[in-house]
Amino acid sequence: MSQEEEKKDEGRIKVYITFKEKTVLFSANPLYSLKVTMENLKKLANMYPDKFWHLPEFDNNGQRITYYIGKQESKSVFLSIAATGEDRSLEDYGVKAGDKLKIIQKVVAG
């Protein structure tokens, strides 16, 4: 592994993320904002839909879909912005290597 690759992987953790009964092991930087983490998941899903999931931007009725991350064992959803207006990260929610997370989709009426 080159120094550049090592630097890129520095501080990353591996977490399990489930969406629609499919679980993948994902390498995440817990310091990145939840928005950046979700965007990275969407990019990977679009590039490798067989390995990840299909995460469309719109449902069959043309309504925009918003995706959130939460803990697998709880019904809570991680909010990407704190009440103070600051971006939240996986670290803010105490996510550690090996944790089981889930993707929740919400259709937003246009």
Side-chain angles (χ1 to χ4, degrees):
M1 188 181 294
S2 72
Q3 283 184 330
E4 192 173 295
E5 288 173 320
E6 285 179 26
K7 190 125 181 125
K8 185 179 175 188
D9 287 343
E10 196 173 297
R12 296 182 80 78
I13 59 171
K14 293 193 186 269
V15 293
Y16 295 92
I17 301 182
T18 301
F19 180 65
K20 292 190 175 181
E21 309 300 320
K22 185 174 187 178
T23 302
V24 299
L25 188 60
F26 178 70
S27 176
N29 185 324
L31 301 177
Y32 287 176
S33 72
L34 289 172
K35 183 177 179 180
V36 168
T37 299
M38 196 65 238
E39 288 302 317
N40 288 340
L41 281 167
K42 283 195 235 178
K43 283 180 194 171
L44 285 170
N46 287 334
M47 288 173 38
Y48 308 104
D50 292 340
K51 183 178 178 188
F52 289 88
W53 321 272
H54 178 61
L55 298 174
E57 283 189 56
F58 300 95
D59 72 0
N60 293 337
N61 296 319
Q63 303 297 322
R64 183 170 293 283
I65 301 172
T66 302
Y67 297 95
Y68 298 95
I69 301 172
K71 285 246 179 165
Q72 185 70 30
E73 62 275 354
S74 73
K75 292 186 178 185
S76 65
V77 173
F78 298 161
L79 300 176
S80 51
I81 298 177
T84 59
E86 295 175 25
D87 286 337
R88 306 287 313 258
S89 67
L90 292 175
E91 183 180 69
D92 292 330
Y93 285 98
V95 174
K96 305 283 184 227
D99 279 358
K100 295 176 179 158
L101 306 177
K102 61 185 173 183
I103 294 176
I104 300 105
Q105 85 178 38
K106 179 181 176 188
V107 176
V108 181

